[in-house]
Amino acid sequence: MKSIGELAFSHCSSIQTVTLPDTIEHIGTAFVGCESLRSINLPQSLTKIDARAFANCISLQSIEIPSGVTVIQGGTFSTCRNLKSVTLHDNITSIEVGAFESCQSLESIIIPGKVTVIREGTFAYCESLKSVTLPEGLTHIEDQAFYTCRALKTVNLPSTLQSIGELVFADCFSLNPIVLPQSLTTIGKRAFNGCHSATELVIPSNLTSIGSTAFGGWLELKALTLSANMGIIGASMFQSAKALEQV
């Protein structure tokens, strides 16, 4: 057996464990909505997992992506609410839109070094996510990538990062510190809105485009360093920074 087709076991709500043979190369949207599925082995023979293959597998607790899979398709593990552990190997080149959206138990993630873009909504609503490790070589983080990751405390923004989209870290209440790299040129609207815990911000010299309310709601912000290259301080950019003492 080499392939499991679309919807093959979808919404089989009593399946708890799946053991796949080491001949499987392709999994279609096969297990979507298997609400009792707790564990599945992904064999090393596997090279492709279709979009939303395991979406809404709300009991799935851990997953290890085999080395032959290089792309995590859109929504593959979305709404796997009990998924706590994800192992991504170094051969992965792309993690697509919403791949891990609403994985509410996921606590940490290490993004492989070949990934250059974090796609829209990839980890949005991962409310237990505390730590994210981003690779050098990453250039763009798209809209809402980490939206409402309320437990997120640490994320390293690499020296290669050029743009951060809209609402990327919005409502990441616990995020502190936030260090913007010198490579950064663009920050979208409300990108860091509601990051209540951040106390200090330095705007890098190459950052020339900042969307409105990008840093709104920083209730604990005390020190702000602006760049001479900023042409405009946009609408509501630092709104509600009630603790701000120094600019």
Side-chain angles (χ1 to χ4, degrees):
M1 183 166 56
K2 291 187 175 182
S3 180
I4 301 175
E6 185 174 358
L7 304 179
F9 297 98
S10 68
H11 303 284
C12 291
S13 58
S14 296
I15 293 178
Q16 296 185 28
T17 304
V18 173
T19 303
L20 299 176
D22 59 9
T23 55
I24 293 291
E25 298 176 359
H26 168 243
I27 297 175
T29 309
F31 297 97
V32 61
C34 290
E35 295 183 350
S36 298
L37 181 63
R38 296 173 62 87
S39 66
I40 183 170
N41 70 306
L42 300 181
Q44 287 300 315
S45 56
L46 190 64
T47 58
K48 185 179 180 183
I49 305 172
D50 283 2
R52 296 187 57 79
F54 298 97
N56 296 300
C57 290
I58 61 176
S59 298
L60 190 64
Q61 296 183 357
S62 65
I63 203 76
E64 182 172 351
I65 307 299
S67 58
V69 176
T70 58
V71 177
I72 309 297
Q73 300 287 350
T76 299
F77 298 101
S78 63
T79 322
C80 290
R81 295 201 297 262
N82 282 294
L83 186 62
K84 295 180 180 179
S85 173
V86 173
T87 303
L88 304 175
H89 61 79
D90 291 339
N91 292 332
I92 289 174
T93 59
S94 181
I95 303 173
E96 293 299 311
V97 173
F100 295 97
E101 181 181 348
S102 297
C103 290
Q104 295 175 354
S105 298
L106 186 64
E107 294 186 354
S108 66
I109 194 74
I110 299 173
I111 305 299
K114 294 181 181 179
V115 175
T116 59
V117 179
I118 305 293
R119 297 295 182 188
E120 182 175 348
T122 302
F123 297 99
Y125 304 105
C126 291
E127 295 185 352
S128 297
L129 189 64
K130 296 178 181 178
S131 175
V132 174
T133 303
L134 302 176
E136 289 295 321
L138 186 76
T139 56
H140 304 285
I141 305 177
E142 293 185 350
D143 297 353
Q144 302 185 50
F146 298 97
Y147 180 56
T148 315
C149 291
R150 293 177 176 171
L152 185 61
K153 294 182 178 180
T154 61
V155 60
N156 63 306
L157 299 177
S159 63
T160 53
L161 187 63
Q162 298 174 21
S163 70
I164 295 174
E166 296 183 10
L167 291 162
V168 168
F169 294 103
D171 293 341
C172 291
F173 299 153
S174 304
L175 191 58
N176 186 40
I178 296 172
V179 180
L180 304 179
Q182 288 296 322
S183 57
L184 195 61
T185 61
T186 303
I187 293 178
K189 295 178 181 178
R190 299 183 63 197
F192 293 93
N193 187 71
C195 292
H196 296 167
S197 299
T199 59
E200 184 177 354
L201 179 66
V202 177
I203 302 296
S205 59
N206 291 321
L207 184 57
T208 55
S209 177
I210 305 176
S212 61
T213 327
F215 304 101
W218 283 35
L219 302 180
E220 301 298 323
L221 181 65
K222 294 182 179 179
L224 172 64
T225 303
L226 301 176
S227 166
N229 294 331
M230 289 181 65
I232 298 174
I233 296 178
S236 305
M237 189 175 295
F238 303 103
Q239 185 179 40
S240 299
K242 295 179 179 180
L244 187 59
E245 300 173 351
Q246 177 184 335
V247 179

